[in-house]
Amino acid sequence: MIEFIAENLAPIMFVSLIVFLLLGYPVAFSLAANGLLFFIIGVELAPLSDSINLSWPLLNAMPERLWGVMSNDTLLAIPFFTFMGIVLERSGMAEDLLDTIGQLFGPIRGGLAYAVIFVGALLAATTGVVAASVIAMGLISLPIMLRYGYDRRVASGVIAASGTLAQIIPPSLVLIVLADQLGRSVGDMYAGALIPGLVLTGLYMLYILLMTFLKRDSMPALPLEARLLGSGVTSLIIALLVAAGFAYAAHVYLSPTQGANADILGATCGVAFIYVVALVDKTMNINMMSRLAQQVIIVLIPPLALIFLVLGTIFLGIATPTEGGAMGAVGALVMAAAKGRLSMEVVQSALAATTRLSAFVLFILIGARVFSLTFYGVNGHLWVEHLLVSMPGGETGFLIGVNILVFFLAFFLDFFELAFIIVPLLAPAADKLGIDLIWFGVLLGINMQTSFMHPPFGFALFYLRSVAAKVPYLDKVTGKVTQPVTTGQIYWGAVPFVGIQILMVGLTIMFPQMVMHYKGEGTGIDPATIKIEVPGFGDNGGGLGLPGGLQLPGGNPLEGGEQKPVGGADGEQKPTNDLSTPPSFN
């Protein structure tokens, strides 16, 4: 029995960790305790098995492993983006965006749902924090959607799903962690995840469009009395055309001096121009634009500018993700101050929430390091790699099996726990099968997004449940009694969006170029066609027959040829140099 335990210590250790987690112990302490417990067992059983490489001096490596966690600059981006997201949420940006975009889309059926998805994508690209997005939209949009007769399942589902876009649209926190665990660049991970995130946003909108045809009464348009900004879409379109024309003129003017950067600088000039025009028009009551056009431009451009400040600088190679996060945090403070909503209370609450999340991540990462020291010492990584690589179906079977595993584990673990526990075990097998790890990381990120939406443990559902009405209440606008949203309605509303996320996993597998574009187009040169020729050595007259035209005079010694003497300028035969002795410099 003891010999069996010694030979199978890795799978026993992995199953024990799952048992610890299912019993409800904190993840960080479960990892660390499991690692230390099995380290002691492994040291005692080491003489009985060749697969156990543990000894007491190995614990001396633990301080270095923990120092590696503490000195990881990449992980600094997590507190920066968390702080930025919470400050923006406290500054009322989400409220302004939802109100304005809701007025823009309000006249069409399902307009509020479109607005929630659009704002969810914008918040994802500025905050990267799921909790902030779901709570903000739940507090602001859900009462309005219920007021105007939206189906409770659709309303709650679209809010929870739109909030989870912060999981996959950069600057997502989980993408930072995945890049760190996979040993890849965060910038490449962001670039690879951008198109899948936008495609997923489009699929959400497509679902709402289908629902407006299948269940016409589930998402009515806003009534006329609720359209406070009136009409004015034509004015907005004209303003956008003017901005585009100004941007093109600036591009033409800057091209001779700025080169490749002229297009970005021109677009920046166009956006800044129309923003200043809208501000002047509203401040001085010129009324050149409609109220709707003014409000959309004034509300929408600052978060877009913040997105460019963060993601644009990262994609252009101007800043690292950590530096981009720092600039985003400063930009969020500036935006809050510009709106007059920056106070010491806001800063303190943002710092407290950032500290809690950062400490949570750090403790999980430290526990994972303790666990991995023992797990690698019992060759657990080889056991997992062999188990995954030997799955039937090769690469396709591996991807299907891994995605099913992650999908079901997401019922019980959140994305941080999956990233720190499961991903380091999957990455070596994926690398051995020749799978691009950036593509693999984005695929796992989309799959782990379902962890926020799984009934009954999805965190996005918990966030929405915490802010949705639990008892009947009196609507302050209509004066009517509004029924609450039940937990069952929230859960059932999430199911279609979980299905859409699974569909997105399949699309990413079928169309990998959605992610692989991060590599660029390359030079288009086939390395197999490259031939290097060294001047002074010909292909004629025998030689060693080396590739690239590199030849030596005389016959090929490997084929029995003789090294003939080389003729001098006077026609005499000169002996070849004697290479058996060192040269003389006397």
Side-chain angles (χ1 to χ4, degrees):
M1 183 65 180
I2 298 297
E3 289 79 3
F4 174 81
I5 294 175
E7 291 294 335
N8 296 277
L9 198 58
I12 294 173
M13 183 179 180
F14 188 74
V15 172
S16 298
L17 175 64
I18 295 175
V19 172
F20 268 80
L21 295 176
L22 292 178
L23 289 175
Y25 289 101
V27 176
F29 301 122
S30 297
L31 286 167
N34 203 267
L36 291 175
L37 174 63
F38 277 90
F39 187 93
I40 298 172
I41 296 173
V43 170
E44 297 298 324
L45 298 182
L48 302 177
S49 175
D50 295 334
S51 63
I52 300 178
N53 303 304
L54 295 176
S55 61
W56 292 114
L58 191 61
L59 282 178
N60 295 330
M62 187 53 65
E64 288 293 333
R65 294 173 66 84
L66 298 185
W67 174 249
V69 174
M70 301 295 228
S71 58
N72 190 342
D73 291 342
T74 302
L75 296 178
L76 273 176
I78 292 177
F80 283 139
F81 284 125
T82 304
F83 180 80
M84 179 180 75
I86 295 172
V87 169
L88 288 175
E89 188 258 329
R90 299 285 195 277
S91 70
M93 185 190 74
E95 182 177 355
D96 294 342
L97 281 171
L98 284 166
D99 181 53
T100 303
I101 304 302
Q103 292 289 320
L104 179 63
F105 289 105
I108 62 176
R109 195 183 301 119
L112 289 178
Y114 291 126
V116 166
I117 295 172
F118 184 79
V119 173
L122 276 180
L123 291 178
T126 50
T127 66
V129 181
V130 173
S133 299
V134 174
I135 290 173
M137 291 191 295
L139 286 171
I140 300 163
S141 292
L142 188 59
I144 299 175
M145 296 171 88
L146 298 182
R147 179 183 304 154
Y148 296 114
Y150 269 64
D151 183 273
R152 281 165 167 72
R153 293 183 180 183
V154 175
S156 57
V158 76
I159 290 173
S162 300
T164 63
L165 289 172
Q167 169 101 351
I168 193 62
I169 294 180
S172 162
L173 298 184
V174 73
L175 293 178
I176 298 173
V177 176
L178 283 172
D180 178 68
Q181 294 299 302
L182 293 170
R184 293 296 184 268
S185 162
V186 177
D188 287 345
M189 191 71 76
Y190 279 178
L194 186 59
I195 291 180
L198 296 177
V199 171
L200 185 60
T201 305
L203 290 176
Y204 286 171
M205 290 189 172
L206 181 61
Y207 169 73
I208 296 299
L209 178 63
L210 291 175
M211 288 296 294
T212 57
F213 287 106
L214 297 176
K215 297 179 66 175
R216 298 177 62 88
D217 297 331
S218 63
M219 289 175 284
L222 281 180
L224 283 174
E225 62 271 16
R227 302 174 195 172
L228 302 179
L229 295 179
S231 59
V233 176
T234 304
S235 175
L236 177 62
I237 294 174
I238 293 173
L240 295 178
L241 291 175
V242 170
F246 190 89
Y248 179 74
H251 165 74
V252 173
Y253 177 77
L254 294 171
S255 289
T257 56
Q258 300 299 324
N261 292 330
D263 50 354
I264 296 175
L265 293 174
T268 304
C269 292
V271 171
F273 169 75
I274 199 65
Y275 182 68
V276 171
V277 169
L279 276 178
V280 172
D281 189 46
K282 183 176 182 180
T283 304
M284 302 183 67
N285 291 322
I286 300 175
N287 295 326
M288 183 170 51
M289 300 180 184
S290 65
R291 287 183 59 205
L292 179 65
Q294 288 176 358
Q295 190 71 5
V296 168
I297 292 171
I298 292 172
V299 169
L300 202 58
I301 286 180
L304 290 177
L306 189 62
I307 292 171
F308 175 75
L309 180 67
V310 176
L311 296 182
T313 54
I314 293 173
F315 291 154
L316 291 173
I318 300 173
T320 65
T322 302
E323 294 164 347
M327 289 191 295
V330 174
L333 291 172
V334 171
M335 283 182 59
K339 292 184 177 182
R341 296 175 179 175
L342 182 63
S343 63
M344 187 58 66
E345 182 182 357
V346 169
V347 175
Q348 285 177 345
S349 63
L351 287 174
T354 302
T355 303
R356 283 195 298 270
L357 181 62
S358 302
F360 168 73
V361 172
L362 191 62
F363 270 102
I364 291 181
L365 192 50
I366 290 174
R369 286 300 176 112
V370 177
F371 178 83
S372 65
L373 177 69
T374 304
F375 197 66
Y376 279 62
V378 297
N379 286 330
H381 60 298
L382 298 178
W383 168 70
V384 173
E385 182 179 322
H386 176 73
L387 189 67
L388 295 173
V389 171
S390 60
M391 291 180 66
E395 181 181 326
T396 304
F398 169 80
L399 290 173
I400 294 174
V402 163
N403 279 285
I404 292 174
L405 172 68
V406 172
F407 178 78
F408 282 106
L409 286 177
F411 277 95
F412 312 103
L413 304 175
D414 72 0
F415 67 95
F416 275 130
E417 296 158 359
L418 288 169
F420 287 131
I421 300 172
I422 302 300
V423 173
L425 302 178
L426 302 178
D431 195 35
K432 190 170 183 178
L433 288 170
I435 297 173
D436 184 89
L437 291 185
I438 292 291
W439 177 76
F440 187 62
V442 172
L443 185 66
L444 291 181
I446 298 170
N447 197 331
M448 285 191 287
Q449 189 177 351
T450 61
S451 69
F452 281 97
M453 298 288 292
H454 276 316
F457 302 114
F459 278 88
L461 308 182
F462 290 157
Y463 298 145
L464 183 59
R465 175 69 281 173
S466 67
V467 296
K470 301 179 181 65
V471 295
Y473 66 95
L474 191 68
D475 188 274
K476 59 184 179 181
V477 174
T478 62
K480 298 179 180 178
V481 176
T482 303
Q483 295 301 314
V485 179
T486 66
T487 302
Q489 289 169 337
I490 294 176
Y491 285 172
W492 281 111
V495 171
F497 292 95
V498 173
I500 293 173
Q501 290 166 349
I502 296 172
L503 173 63
M504 190 64 217
V505 171
L507 291 175
T508 307
I509 295 175
M510 293 171 59
F511 305 101
Q513 196 55 36
M514 282 195 296
V515 178
M516 298 301 289
H517 71 90
Y518 82 92
K519 289 187 173 183
E521 297 181 358
T523 61
I525 299 175
D526 184 3
T529 64
I530 299 175
K531 182 178 181 182
I532 302 175
E533 295 188 2
V534 180
F537 293 91
D539 293 331
N540 300 322
L544 291 176
L546 299 176
L550 181 59
Q551 305 292 330
L552 294 179
N556 188 343
L558 301 178
E559 298 178 357
E562 296 181 359
Q563 283 295 104
K564 299 179 180 179
V566 181
D570 54 0
E572 296 180 0
Q573 297 293 329
K574 292 186 178 180
T576 57
N577 293 328
D578 183 9
L579 301 180
S580 62
T581 60
S584 174
F585 296 98
N586 295 329

